Amino acid sequence: MTNPAKAEPVAIPASPSATTASPPTRWLPLAAAGVTVVLWASAFVSIRSAGSAYSPGALALGRLLAGALVLGLVCAVRREGLPPRAAWRGIAVSGVLWFGVYMVVLNWGEQEVDAGTAAMVVNIGPILIALLGGKLLGESLPPRLLAGMAVSFAGAVAVGLSMSGEGHASVLGVALCVLAAMAYAGGVVAQKPVLAHASALQATTFGCLIGAVACLPFAGQLIGQAADAPLSATLNMLYLGVFPTALAFTTWAYALARTTAGRMGATTYAVPALVVLMAWLALDEVPGPLTLAGGALCLAGVAVSRSRRTRLGADSTPTPPPTTGRAA
């Protein structure tokens, strides 16, 4: 009768310790995703301001150089070192696609179409992320995620239509925004397996550095335009590099390592709603009824996509383990 007595105390202490550690780890990725979404929303105002003085390639290069410098200093202080060999392929792909192509093409596309059209077209990105994540990473596509994305996309279209009233759109501009959405989706899906081998800081630092190297052909434009640009435009470019790039991409990678690419992509549908709110508070741009309705739909869709089924015994659609993502 001594064996049951020994087994019983072993099972009891293990359970409380796991329960105690669970709530903080559950909230940290959500908080990190929230930081990312807020900073990416704030980037729209800065891009608009800096874009009046800097060409698309020069703005992307300046932003990436500022971000790489800050991230490099943080890596040096933390002694992060180089990522393992298994991570380099994904870092290179995400660096070229997401940090390089996406930033240049989006800056260019927003000069060819109005902000509303750009918002509508680029927001196909999260849908592409979910589809590519299912195909290439073996991620599940639960009904709540698909329903939430549909609701959020409808909200993004409503916000875009409300902003497109007297704007302009060209075939080139729409094509560039589609290319930006594809580069964004490809970069996210390439980064996901990297986070099973490298830290969020390593993935972001070296991805940003590779993106900056890819944009070096625009160095001449950056030097020439920086001499004539107003201080406010240059400060906005530096802000883009330090906060929406260095900080927000790192918090994004931290959260992405702890959930699926599809669910993280759906989270970015909160950006249009936050842009509307920031424009209202900071720029006195009072949103109309359609804009408000669209923003509410975006947030409602994010809430649906991030929610989980109430457990009736075993959960049939579990989230991936908190430490690594599934690499196909």
Side-chain angles (χ1 to χ4, degrees), residues 167 226 263 272 298:
R263 291 185 73 180
C298 287

Side-chain angles (χ1 to χ4, degrees), residues 5 13 22 39 56 79 107 110 113 177 187 201 212 220-221 256 275:
S22 185
L39 289 176
R79 298 182 180 178
N107 292 343
E110 287 191 358
V113 299
C177 289
L201 183 57
Q221 293 180 13
L256 179 62
V275 170

Side-chain angles (χ1 to χ4, degrees), residues 9 28 47 65 70 72 83 121 127 130 137 151 157 206 263 324:
L28 279 174
I47 289 173
L65 288 174
V70 171
V121 178
I127 298 172
L137 304 178
V151 172
V157 170
F206 290 94
R263 291 185 73 180
T324 62

Side-chain angles (χ1 to χ4, degrees), residues 45-85:
V45 178
S46 294
I47 289 173
R48 212 176 285 173
S49 172
S52 60
Y54 289 97
S55 61
L59 177 57
L61 177 59
R63 173 180 180 176
L64 288 168
L65 288 174
L69 178 61
V70 171
L71 288 165
L73 290 173
V74 175
C75 273
V77 170
R78 290 176 56 88
R79 298 182 180 178
E80 283 278 327
L82 294 173
R85 185 181 299 177

Side-chain angles (χ1 to χ4, degrees), residues 240-309:
L240 287 167
V242 175
F243 293 99
T245 303
L247 177 57
F249 274 78
T250 303
T251 52
W252 164 277
Y254 174 85
L256 179 62
R258 290 155 176 82
T259 186
T260 65
R263 291 185 73 180
M264 274 303 290
T267 305
T268 62
Y269 275 122
V271 171
L274 289 174
V275 170
V276 170
L277 179 62
M278 288 177 181
W280 189 0
L281 296 176
L283 305 175
D284 291 328
E285 295 180 1
V286 180
L290 182 60
T291 310
L292 288 173
L297 278 175
C298 287
L299 294 177
V302 171
V304 170
S305 66
R306 299 289 303 185
S307 64
R308 298 182 182 183
R309 271 193 340 185

Side-chain angles (χ1 to χ4, degrees), residues 42 68 101 122 137 152 184 194 200 203 207 215 228 231 236 245 250 302 314:
S42 74
V101 174
V122 171
L137 304 178
S152 287
Y184 160 49
V194 169
C215 292
D228 301 324
L231 180 61
N236 273 293
T245 303
T250 303
V302 171

